[in-house]
Structure formats: C-alpha cells, structure tokens
Amino acid sequence: MRRSRGLTAALVLSLAGAGTGIGLVLMPQASAITPPVAFTADELPTWQPDGIVFAMAQANGTVFAGGTFSAVRPPEGAAGAEQEAVNFVALDAATGKPTACKLAFTIGDGTATVRTLVVSKDKKTLYAGGYFGAVNGTPVSSLAAIDIASCTPKASFHPGFPATVRGLAVTDDTLYAAGDFNAVDGQTRERFAAVDAGSGALKPFVANVDEPGRAVEVTPDGKNVLLGGDFFTVNGTNSHALAVVNATTGAVTKTYGNIPSNSVVKDISTDETGFYTGHEGSGGGVFDGRIGLRLSDFTEKWRDRCLGATQFVLPYEGVLYSSSHAHDCSTELEFPDGKRNFLLAQPTNHEGAAPAPVDGFVRGPGKLGWHPTANDGLGEGIGPRVMAVADKNDVKYLWVGGEFTLINGKAQQGLTRFASTGDVGAPTTPVASAASVKPGEAQVRWRTSYDADDSKLTYRIYRNGSATPAATVTASSLEWERPQASWTDATVKAGQTYTYRVTATDDAGNTSALSAVASVTIPTSVQSYPNQVRADGANLYWRYDDTVSPYVADSSSGGNTSGVQFNAPALRQTPGAVSGASTAMGFNGTSQLVHGDRRQTVGNTFTVETWFKTNTTRGGKLIGFGNNTTRNSGSFDRHIYMTNTGRLVFGVYNGSARTVSTGLFETYNDNKWHHVVGTQGPGGITLYVDGQNKGSLNATSNAAYAGYWHAGGDNLSGWPTRPTSNFFAGQLDETAVYPTALTQAQVKNHFDLAKAPTDSVSAVKATEDTYINQGAPSTAYGTSTSLAVRGTSAYETYLRFALPAAPAGQVLKSASLQIKTSTQAGAGTADTVSVVPVTGTWSGAGTTFNTKPTLGTTPLGSIAGVPDGSAVHSVELDTAAVSAVLGGSYSLGLTSTGTDPLWIWSAESTAAEGTPQLVLTFGAK
C-alpha cells in the first residue's frame, strides 16, 4: 500500500500595480513549487541501466529497481565506470548512485526479468517477483525474499511459482501475488495467490481468474484485496479487469462491469483518500486512463479518460502521479490528440463541485502543473512504467523507471528522479504585445509562460526600459493551456510612444528573460473600427499586428483567447483591411493556420467575423471551430469557408450540415479586401458579406463539444461544395468572435468603419548625432555610443532627422522626441533639459566645441529632470514648429543650464529601445 500524508496548502495573495491594472501576486511558498505538487520537474543526475526498469520499491533511503538489464552506468557526461547489475540495482535515494547491495536475478533457460518489488512493513525484507530461477545462485521460483540489511536472499523462503509474477502486495503476515501462473506449490491458484510473508507457505486464499493478473493491492484496513488484470471472471463470477475480494478467503466482495472489454488494469495503488487504477487497452472505445474509487464501498468517484496506456499510479500527499503516454485528453477538456505526455499529476479528489458526467462517468480531476518530459524509448515504446517516493536527509525523491531514453530532452535511460526541493527551472519567456485604440489607455498583453512545476507565475511589466516594474500580475497556465494575461496602463499620454517588456517568475524566484520589446503609440483620437468591435462585445479579437511568432494577441476587452501561429504564416502584411497602421497575416493555403490557445465551448448564439483578401481557386477555411489544434479536427463547424470558385459558405452542424452561401455568381476571390460575418441565434443562421445580408436559414442549434477557434484552416470533410483545400491561401485581418448574434446594423457599421480616417504614426530614427564637450574643445564625438547634456561645463547634443511629409489628407497632430538614458551610474539629471532647433551647420565627424553650431532660442519642448536608471523618456514638442519643417532634414539640440549631466544612448548604440527617435502622429484635418 502507498500511503499519503494528506495535503495542506495556503495561498497568500497581495495586490500590486500601476495605472488601472491591478494584479494578484502569489507570495513565495516554502516548497517553492505550486501546491499541491510536491516535486520539481528538474531531473537529478542518476545512474542508468542498459535496459528496461519494470519494478521499484524503497526502504530507509535506498531505492530498489528491477527489470531486464545487465549493467548500470553513470549519468550522461559523469565520471565513473559501468557496473554489472543483473536485472536488479539498489541506489542511494539522495545521490542516485549504486549502493554496495548487489543481487543477480538469473534463470537457466530464457530471459530472466524482475517485474515487481515490494518492501515489508518493518522495512526489513524486500520481496521480488518476476521470471527467474535464482538470486545470487540461491534457487527460487519467480518469487524471492531478500534480507535488506545483509542484501542476501532468504533460502528458507521458497514458494513455487511456475510462471511470471507481475504484482505483489504485503501486510504484516501475508504476501499477495498476481501473475500468469495457474498453480503454486502444485496447488491450483489461478493468477492470484497468497503466501505467508515469513515462511512462504501457501495460504488458503483463493481468487482464481481466467486471464493474467497484473496488479494486487491491500486496502488500508487489511480486510480486502484489490485485484487488477486482464480477467473476465473471479471465482466464476463475472468481473472484468478489476475486483475486490476478501483478504483471508478470496471470496468476491465487489465486481465491476463498466471497464471496456478491450482494456485491462495495469496498476492499483491506495491511500486514505481511496484506491486508484491505471488502465491500458487497444482498439475502438478503449479506456487508457485512471479511475478513482472510494474505500468505503469501492464505488467509483471519478474517471479520467485520457488516451495513452497508463502504466502506474502513485497517490502522494493528495496528488495522483501517473506514468503513461497520454496523447489525447479531449474528454477531460484538456489537450487534444497530439504529442505524448508521459508524466502527469492530478488531485486525488475533486475540489469544489464535481465536473459534469461524461457518458455516465464523472470526469477526472484536472491536471496540475507538473510536467517532466520523456520519450517512448525501448521495448514496447511505453516510456515510464513505474514510480516510487523515497526520503533521505529530510528531502523526498520521486523516482521513475521504465523504457525511456530521454528525460526533459536530455539523454537518460531507464531511471530518473525528482526532488521536493531545488527548483532551478525558469519559466519560458513571455511573448508580449501592446496596443491602444483610444487616448489615455494602453493594453499590454502576453501569452502566459510555461513552467514544468509551477502553474502559477508572477509577471512583471517594465515600461520604457525602467528597472522598476510598472505592474505585477499573477496568472495560471499549463503546458497545453496558455491563456493570455493582460494589464491596462491608464497613465499614458496621447501622441507618445511607450515600450513594454515582461518577465515571468516562479515561486522559487527563477525568472525568465525579458520579453522582446512591445511598442505602442497612443492615438490622439479614438480608433473607430477596433473600438467598436470591443464595444460590441467581442470575446476574441485577433488583429494580426503581431511582430513575433508564435503569438497572436487577443485585443478584445477582457478576453484571454490568444492565438498560436502554426507553420509560420506571414506577419505584418500591408495594407491591412482597416485604415491606419493595422497589418494583416498571410497564409499559404497548404499548412498554415492560427488556433486558439484555450479550449472552450460555444453555445447556440455567436458571431464569427473576419476580413479576407485572396485570388485562390482552391478555396479553404477562413474561420471556424474544431476540437483539435494543429491536426485535423474530428468535430468541426461554426465556420466560414470559400469554395474553389470564390463563393462563401457559413455553416453549423446539428446532426447534419446546415449552411448558407453566397449566390452562384457572387464570388470574392478578386484579390480585394472583403468583410464576412456569420451569426447564429434564436432566429437561425445568417451570412453577411461587405455589410449585406446574403441569406438566412432556420438552424438554431449546433454540435456540443469543446474545442478551439481556428483561422486559415481546419477540416472541411463532408461539407457542401467542399473546396480542394482545407487551408486558405490569402490574407486575413481583424478576426473576431462574439457571444451574441450581431444585428445587420452592427455588421454594416463595422464594414463602414473600416474605412473611417484614423491616426497614422511614423517613428523617425536619428540619421546622425553627436555631442560637444567644453572640457575637450577639439574632440569630435560623432561615433560615440552615448550622448551628453550639461550646462556647466558645457555638453550639448545634436540630432538630425529626415522628416516625412504629412500623408495625403492628414496633418501632424503630435510630435515627441524619445530618448533613453544609458546604464552608467548617474545617467539621469536633476536639471531641466530643453529641446531647441539647430540653426547652424554641423556634422558628426567634424563638429567639436570649437566648431559648434548655432542653436535657436525658443525651446520646442523640455523635460524637468530625468531619474537615474536606464529608461526611455519622451519630450513633447511644439506641433506647429515641427509641422513647418516636414518633408526635409531637421536638426534638434539638447541643452541645459545646470551642472548635473544627462547621458543618453546614441544612434550608434545597440541598446534595446535606445536609438533617439521622433514619434510623429498624423490624423485627419
């Protein structure tokens, strides 16, 4: 029996933030791992066998591993010689090194193997089962007892098991065995038997089954035995794969008929919270997951139906750790069919309300943030097969054995371990984005990071290069669920540019690198189109203005369904569908798409909307909902797709495909931007194109399933007028989803607003810069990476810009100079720095204090002091004065009357955000 000591955890929360963004900050826990997970996901150096580990047990700080192998070797890259280890090795739990205990499990004919290990309650005896005929030369028959202190087999313990023993469980006086045998010591015992734990004498316990036994466990009270395997009957009574019998007689206590016939029980574990089963199967309708059952009456409390051959289950401190190769947890509303996940953790019991039943079964507890990676490995390609928890020196170690040859991407065969302390893995780097649709507000968004043993991470947002965070936000994420997090900066000023970077920190203090810089210029007036999309209640809004892969920001108000780019669609395609600086995304029509980062359900009332431009003759899906991400979905509808001829189809599925399409001669593959909207509500479904109603149908329901939004492609099998390609070739822009059915007036308003005038922004970097130094009157500083400003003794900085002309029909609405203080100590200044026009001539290569140019007397703008610390600062400039010089070369000087110097980066610097630049905002007259 594997006992848990229970779980206690307290989360301490505090508030922090700037502007209107207030985040919850998770204070560090003593464990430095997100509770209730008890172990890091960081693998420790461990000796490794040259074969497969099938069995594990532990006692007194030593871990015993059995299987099919002949030697063990040091961890990859570590010093040490290979040692002989014949199907068994004893290792120090804390160091991962072999101990002095050497046992060889052998057989005269065939291949010996150790399949199960268990330690007596007094920690003095190790029992080993498998297929072998001797231990260190002492004759045995597939079952042996080892004196742990002396590391010698007990010759007096010699029950006769003529076939493989696959499972063992022990009480104070009885050892229970499961396996392939039909007799023990010549007496009939079909696949399950019990012997005296001391002498090995056969006991009267009879629980005969018709197919192999694979697992056996004793309830904590010692009154009942749990049987698992392939069988269909127990003592002649129907019960498939699982049964409960009396611990003394073997009489049947509880039978089960709700495990599919093509599935078996591979492992059973128990603690005070219940007993837990791991299953494996093959074929359609298979059950590969885990079941949690009550000890009070042996009834089922939950069932986790993830697909992927569960090999072992281990309850520990309120968490069920499992080894499998789970590849599809769609029924659990988790990851869809895809890559294999070999090591998982979930609570042993549900917290709060139980999830909704699935086909009559209560869904299993959601997975926790513990996710070391492995691989299929050797043999059957199962990956991890067995686990054990060992204590030594007040540290707990979770050991894992199996067929794997990689752990966390590093070479490691057959054995690995994880500790309860020493979390050293930093979260992945956040991918950040920033946008603004109206004055006085900047929305900073980022795809939440992933940490293999911390599901709750603390994010710090740094503005304009400051070393002090402007806000702190805490958010949760898992490897397969990375919802968008955001913070709104309400202290920004219209016409100015701001930059943001984000870090992620786990409870142990491990911090990611800074995200790439996300930059935004605050508009001087409301941007009509995106503001209306938000106002109309979009809960997903992909604008495709992203600058890095694979993140697509969700620009909706309060939404968290960011997108993930797949197969690298083309970024920042221009011109976009909406006037202004917005860009589009390009798709190749063969493999590229964007899918949502969050599984969700969608009701019978919704709207999908997007802009598109294409000349394809192969059709493809523009937007839709499906139950997978990068693979073809098995359930898919609520979509808009294009036929080969360029017609548009909107459809839902409610037992059959219900669609509305444009007319036979209404085609839209003319390489122009078009607006398409599909709605469903109490009035049925309606398709709109370019603001016009193209038809409706009385279809008020759709298929009920959990899935992901897609743009650019997904399955279209079986749908009317199916195009050649599932994937769309062309550009998409302004994709949005709403939980309501937009009205025709709202749709037409969106179409019209797309062409409404909006601000445009030009960021003009300095083409040349230098400064002069009164203390070195003959020196030119044109190649310096930093620039200086001071009154006495004088430093002056000169900047030259090539200014654009105002776009047609627009005027300059604001102008600002953006500079960044350098990293040297005292780079800031307490004095006022003025920006003035340069009226004389100068050059970076030739200008010195002795040849300095003439400066204007009327400042264009000023900044009253700059704090120390490398950060970006903006100086608002006189708009009328800058307007007068648009379209030509223009020079600015930075001067001061004080004695405290300002040091800033020059155009020659490689510092992030460091180059001096003018930010010019143009808008309608």
Side-chain angles (χ1 to χ4, degrees), residues 384-405:
R385 281 185 171 272
V386 65
M387 296 174 164
V389 174
D391 293 348
K392 190 164 187 181
N393 301 329
D394 297 323
V395 177
K396 301 173 182 64
Y397 298 90
L398 175 61
W399 282 69
V400 180
E403 299 178 346
F404 53 83
T405 57

PDB file of all heavy atoms in Angstrom, residues 384-405:
ATOM      1  N   PRO A 384       7.757   5.825 -19.406  1.00  0.00           N
ATOM      2  CA  PRO A 384       7.836   5.490 -17.978  1.00  0.00           C
ATOM      3  C   PRO A 384       6.871   4.363 -17.611  1.00  0.00           C
ATOM      4  O   PRO A 384       5.760   4.288 -18.138  1.00  0.00           O
ATOM      5  CB  PRO A 384       7.435   6.798 -17.284  1.00  0.00           C
ATOM      6  CG  PRO A 384       7.645   7.859 -18.308  1.00  0.00           C
ATOM      7  CD  PRO A 384       7.336   7.214 -19.617  1.00  0.00           C
ATOM      8  N   ARG A 385       7.301   3.483 -16.674  1.00  0.00           N
ATOM      9  CA  ARG A 385       6.476   2.347 -16.283  1.00  0.00           C
ATOM     10  C   ARG A 385       6.191   2.266 -14.791  1.00  0.00           C
ATOM     11  O   ARG A 385       5.218   1.618 -14.395  1.00  0.00           O
ATOM     12  CB  ARG A 385       7.158   1.032 -16.703  1.00  0.00           C
ATOM     13  CG  ARG A 385       7.008   0.693 -18.173  1.00  0.00           C
ATOM     14  CD  ARG A 385       7.596  -0.674 -18.459  1.00  0.00           C
ATOM     15  NE  ARG A 385       7.307  -1.148 -19.793  1.00  0.00           N
ATOM     16  CZ  ARG A 385       6.221  -1.838 -20.135  1.00  0.00           C
ATOM     17  NH1 ARG A 385       5.308  -2.100 -19.233  1.00  0.00           N
ATOM     18  NH2 ARG A 385       6.048  -2.245 -21.378  1.00  0.00           N
ATOM     19  N   VAL A 386       7.011   2.870 -13.943  1.00  0.00           N
ATOM     20  CA  VAL A 386       6.878   2.626 -12.513  1.00  0.00           C
ATOM     21  C   VAL A 386       7.413   3.824 -11.751  1.00  0.00           C
ATOM     22  O   VAL A 386       8.246   4.587 -12.267  1.00  0.00           O
ATOM     23  CB  VAL A 386       7.632   1.322 -12.136  1.00  0.00           C
ATOM     24  CG1 VAL A 386       9.121   1.467 -12.353  1.00  0.00           C
ATOM     25  CG2 VAL A 386       7.310   0.866 -10.735  1.00  0.00           C
ATOM     26  N   MET A 387       6.941   4.020 -10.498  1.00  0.00           N
ATOM     27  CA  MET A 387       7.349   5.147  -9.672  1.00  0.00           C
ATOM     28  C   MET A 387       7.503   4.706  -8.226  1.00  0.00           C
ATOM     29  O   MET A 387       6.900   3.714  -7.795  1.00  0.00           O
ATOM     30  CB  MET A 387       6.297   6.263  -9.712  1.00  0.00           C
ATOM     31  CG  MET A 387       6.077   6.909 -11.053  1.00  0.00           C
ATOM     32  SD  MET A 387       4.690   8.066 -10.946  1.00  0.00           S
ATOM     33  CE  MET A 387       4.933   9.008 -12.435  1.00  0.00           C
ATOM     34  N   ALA A 388       8.272   5.494  -7.457  1.00  0.00           N
ATOM     35  CA  ALA A 388       8.399   5.280  -6.016  1.00  0.00           C
ATOM     36  C   ALA A 388       8.859   6.586  -5.373  1.00  0.00           C
ATOM     37  O   ALA A 388       9.613   7.348  -5.982  1.00  0.00           O
ATOM     38  CB  ALA A 388       9.386   4.163  -5.704  1.00  0.00           C
ATOM     39  N   VAL A 389       8.411   6.833  -4.148  1.00  0.00           N
ATOM     40  CA  VAL A 389       8.839   8.002  -3.378  1.00  0.00           C
ATOM     41  C   VAL A 389       9.726   7.528  -2.245  1.00  0.00           C
ATOM     42  O   VAL A 389       9.358   6.623  -1.478  1.00  0.00           O
ATOM     43  CB  VAL A 389       7.643   8.793  -2.825  1.00  0.00           C
ATOM     44  CG1 VAL A 389       8.126   9.911  -1.911  1.00  0.00           C
ATOM     45  CG2 VAL A 389       6.820   9.365  -3.967  1.00  0.00           C
ATOM     46  N   ALA A 390      10.924   8.134  -2.126  1.00  0.00           N
ATOM     47  CA  ALA A 390      11.871   7.787  -1.075  1.00  0.00           C
ATOM     48  C   ALA A 390      12.298   9.039  -0.337  1.00  0.00           C
ATOM     49  O   ALA A 390      12.389  10.125  -0.932  1.00  0.00           O
ATOM     50  CB  ALA A 390      13.098   7.087  -1.677  1.00  0.00           C
ATOM     51  N   ASP A 391      12.575   8.897   0.981  1.00  0.00           N
ATOM     52  CA  ASP A 391      13.057  10.007   1.809  1.00  0.00           C
ATOM     53  C   ASP A 391      14.517   9.770   2.166  1.00  0.00           C
ATOM     54  O   ASP A 391      14.942   8.650   2.433  1.00  0.00           O
ATOM     55  CB  ASP A 391      12.287  10.094   3.135  1.00  0.00           C
ATOM     56  CG  ASP A 391      10.833  10.472   2.932  1.00  0.00           C
ATOM     57  OD1 ASP A 391      10.479  10.885   1.830  1.00  0.00           O
ATOM     58  OD2 ASP A 391      10.063  10.344   3.896  1.00  0.00           O
ATOM     59  N   LYS A 392      15.272  10.867   2.179  1.00  0.00           N
ATOM     60  CA  LYS A 392      16.615  10.803   2.746  1.00  0.00           C
ATOM     61  C   LYS A 392      17.072  12.218   3.081  1.00  0.00           C
ATOM     62  O   LYS A 392      16.926  13.129   2.274  1.00  0.00           O
ATOM     63  CB  LYS A 392      17.608  10.141   1.796  1.00  0.00           C
ATOM     64  CG  LYS A 392      18.947   9.859   2.492  1.00  0.00           C
ATOM     65  CD  LYS A 392      19.813   8.875   1.728  1.00  0.00           C
ATOM     66  CE  LYS A 392      21.047   8.505   2.547  1.00  0.00           C
ATOM     67  NZ  LYS A 392      21.926   7.566   1.827  1.00  0.00           N
ATOM     68  N   ASN A 393      17.603  12.377   4.299  1.00  0.00           N
ATOM     69  CA  ASN A 393      18.115  13.669   4.755  1.00  0.00           C
ATOM     70  C   ASN A 393      17.070  14.772   4.617  1.00  0.00           C
ATOM     71  O   ASN A 393      17.358  15.880   4.170  1.00  0.00           O
ATOM     72  CB  ASN A 393      19.385  14.036   3.981  1.00  0.00           C
ATOM     73  CG  ASN A 393      20.484  13.003   4.141  1.00  0.00           C
ATOM     74  OD1 ASN A 393      20.586  12.352   5.178  1.00  0.00           O
ATOM     75  ND2 ASN A 393      21.301  12.842   3.105  1.00  0.00           N
ATOM     76  N   ASP A 394      15.829  14.445   5.000  1.00  0.00           N
ATOM     77  CA  ASP A 394      14.713  15.397   5.002  1.00  0.00           C
ATOM     78  C   ASP A 394      14.332  15.878   3.603  1.00  0.00           C
ATOM     79  O   ASP A 394      13.637  16.892   3.469  1.00  0.00           O
ATOM     80  CB  ASP A 394      15.024  16.605   5.890  1.00  0.00           C
ATOM     81  CG  ASP A 394      15.203  16.230   7.347  1.00  0.00           C
ATOM     82  OD1 ASP A 394      14.471  15.327   7.805  1.00  0.00           O
ATOM     83  OD2 ASP A 394      16.063  16.819   8.019  1.00  0.00           O
ATOM     84  N   VAL A 395      14.774  15.201   2.581  1.00  0.00           N
ATOM     85  CA  VAL A 395      14.363  15.509   1.213  1.00  0.00           C
ATOM     86  C   VAL A 395      13.634  14.302   0.653  1.00  0.00           C
ATOM     87  O   VAL A 395      14.047  13.163   0.882  1.00  0.00           O
ATOM     88  CB  VAL A 395      15.573  15.857   0.325  1.00  0.00           C
ATOM     89  CG1 VAL A 395      15.135  16.113  -1.111  1.00  0.00           C
ATOM     90  CG2 VAL A 395      16.309  17.073   0.876  1.00  0.00           C
ATOM     91  N   LYS A 396      12.547  14.558  -0.054  1.00  0.00           N
ATOM     92  CA  LYS A 396      11.780  13.485  -0.670  1.00  0.00           C
ATOM     93  C   LYS A 396      12.135  13.427  -2.151  1.00  0.00           C
ATOM     94  O   LYS A 396      12.300  14.451  -2.805  1.00  0.00           O
ATOM     95  CB  LYS A 396      10.292  13.722  -0.464  1.00  0.00           C
ATOM     96  CG  LYS A 396       9.886  13.806   0.991  1.00  0.00           C
ATOM     97  CD  LYS A 396       8.423  14.207   1.130  1.00  0.00           C
ATOM     98  CE  LYS A 396       8.037  14.333   2.598  1.00  0.00           C
ATOM     99  NZ  LYS A 396       8.798  15.433   3.276  1.00  0.00           N
ATOM    100  N   TYR A 397      12.221  12.200  -2.660  1.00  0.00           N
ATOM    101  CA  TYR A 397      12.595  11.997  -4.054  1.00  0.00           C
ATOM    102  C   TYR A 397      11.535  11.130  -4.731  1.00  0.00           C
ATOM    103  O   TYR A 397      11.170  10.075  -4.223  1.00  0.00           O
ATOM    104  CB  TYR A 397      13.956  11.302  -4.166  1.00  0.00           C
ATOM    105  CG  TYR A 397      15.091  12.100  -3.563  1.00  0.00           C
ATOM    106  CD1 TYR A 397      15.448  11.939  -2.224  1.00  0.00           C
ATOM    107  CD2 TYR A 397      15.797  13.022  -4.325  1.00  0.00           C
ATOM    108  CE1 TYR A 397      16.483  12.670  -1.659  1.00  0.00           C
ATOM    109  CE2 TYR A 397      16.838  13.763  -3.767  1.00  0.00           C
ATOM    110  CZ  TYR A 397      17.172  13.582  -2.436  1.00  0.00           C
ATOM    111  OH  TYR A 397      18.198  14.313  -1.879  1.00  0.00           O
ATOM    112  N   LEU A 398      11.064  11.600  -5.869  1.00  0.00           N
ATOM    113  CA  LEU A 398      10.183  10.796  -6.699  1.00  0.00           C
ATOM    114  C   LEU A 398      11.026  10.146  -7.789  1.00  0.00           C
ATOM    115  O   LEU A 398      11.595  10.823  -8.646  1.00  0.00           O
ATOM    116  CB  LEU A 398       9.090  11.663  -7.339  1.00  0.00           C
ATOM    117  CG  LEU A 398       8.173  10.942  -8.335  1.00  0.00           C
ATOM    118  CD1 LEU A 398       7.419   9.796  -7.664  1.00  0.00           C
ATOM    119  CD2 LEU A 398       7.191  11.918  -8.971  1.00  0.00           C
ATOM    120  N   TRP A 399      11.141   8.810  -7.690  1.00  0.00           N
ATOM    121  CA  TRP A 399      11.901   8.037  -8.675  1.00  0.00           C
ATOM    122  C   TRP A 399      10.966   7.514  -9.751  1.00  0.00           C
ATOM    123  O   TRP A 399       9.820   7.131  -9.471  1.00  0.00           O
ATOM    124  CB  TRP A 399      12.601   6.868  -8.001  1.00  0.00           C
ATOM    125  CG  TRP A 399      13.845   7.262  -7.249  1.00  0.00           C
ATOM    126  CD1 TRP A 399      13.922   7.993  -6.103  1.00  0.00           C
ATOM    127  CD2 TRP A 399      15.188   6.944  -7.611  1.00  0.00           C
ATOM    128  NE1 TRP A 399      15.229   8.148  -5.715  1.00  0.00           N
ATOM    129  CE2 TRP A 399      16.036   7.507  -6.625  1.00  0.00           C
ATOM    130  CE3 TRP A 399      15.767   6.226  -8.660  1.00  0.00           C
ATOM    131  CZ2 TRP A 399      17.424   7.381  -6.667  1.00  0.00           C
ATOM    132  CZ3 TRP A 399      17.154   6.086  -8.703  1.00  0.00           C
ATOM    133  CH2 TRP A 399      17.962   6.669  -7.723  1.00  0.00           C
ATOM    134  N   VAL A 400      11.459   7.470 -10.973  1.00  0.00           N
ATOM    135  CA  VAL A 400      10.686   6.966 -12.108  1.00  0.00           C
ATOM    136  C   VAL A 400      11.555   6.007 -12.894  1.00  0.00           C
ATOM    137  O   VAL A 400      12.736   6.283 -13.158  1.00  0.00           O
ATOM    138  CB  VAL A 400      10.228   8.125 -13.026  1.00  0.00           C
ATOM    139  CG1 VAL A 400       9.424   7.574 -14.207  1.00  0.00           C
ATOM    140  CG2 VAL A 400       9.400   9.146 -12.247  1.00  0.00           C
ATOM    141  N   GLY A 401      10.989   4.850 -13.248  1.00  0.00           N
ATOM    142  CA  GLY A 401      11.696   3.879 -14.070  1.00  0.00           C
ATOM    143  C   GLY A 401      10.860   3.487 -15.267  1.00  0.00           C
ATOM    144  O   GLY A 401       9.642   3.671 -15.283  1.00  0.00           O
ATOM    145  N   GLY A 402      11.508   2.936 -16.290  1.00  0.00           N
ATOM    146  CA  GLY A 402      10.756   2.498 -17.457  1.00  0.00           C
ATOM    147  C   GLY A 402      11.626   2.227 -18.655  1.00  0.00           C
ATOM    148  O   GLY A 402      12.779   1.781 -18.534  1.00  0.00           O
ATOM    149  N   GLU A 403      11.082   2.545 -19.835  1.00  0.00           N
ATOM    150  CA  GLU A 403      11.741   2.261 -21.104  1.00  0.00           C
ATOM    151  C   GLU A 403      12.369   3.498 -21.739  1.00  0.00           C
ATOM    152  O   GLU A 403      13.036   3.399 -22.764  1.00  0.00           O
ATOM    153  CB  GLU A 403      10.723   1.668 -22.089  1.00  0.00           C
ATOM    154  CG  GLU A 403      10.122   0.370 -21.611  1.00  0.00           C
ATOM    155  CD  GLU A 403       9.079  -0.191 -22.574  1.00  0.00           C
ATOM    156  OE1 GLU A 403       8.635   0.547 -23.478  1.00  0.00           O
ATOM    157  OE2 GLU A 403       8.719  -1.358 -22.411  1.00  0.00           O
ATOM    158  N   PHE A 404      12.140   4.664 -21.177  1.00  0.00           N
ATOM    159  CA  PHE A 404      12.553   5.929 -21.781  1.00  0.00           C
ATOM    160  C   PHE A 404      14.076   6.004 -21.950  1.00  0.00           C
ATOM    161  O   PHE A 404      14.846   5.378 -21.221  1.00  0.00           O
ATOM    162  CB  PHE A 404      12.060   7.104 -20.940  1.00  0.00           C
ATOM    163  CG  PHE A 404      12.437   7.032 -19.485  1.00  0.00           C
ATOM    164  CD1 PHE A 404      13.681   7.457 -19.032  1.00  0.00           C
ATOM    165  CD2 PHE A 404      11.534   6.531 -18.538  1.00  0.00           C
ATOM    166  CE1 PHE A 404      14.013   7.387 -17.695  1.00  0.00           C
ATOM    167  CE2 PHE A 404      11.866   6.462 -17.197  1.00  0.00           C
ATOM    168  CZ  PHE A 404      13.119   6.885 -16.775  1.00  0.00           C
ATOM    169  N   THR A 405      14.493   6.821 -22.903  1.00  0.00           N
ATOM    170  CA  THR A 405      15.915   7.118 -23.112  1.00  0.00           C
ATOM    171  C   THR A 405      16.196   8.616 -23.052  1.00  0.00           C
ATOM    172  O   THR A 405      17.346   9.035 -23.183  1.00  0.00           O
ATOM    173  CB  THR A 405      16.395   6.576 -24.465  1.00  0.00           C
ATOM    174  OG1 THR A 405      15.594   7.137 -25.510  1.00  0.00           O
ATOM    175  CG2 THR A 405      16.295   5.053 -24.503  1.00  0.00           C
TER     176      THR A 405
END
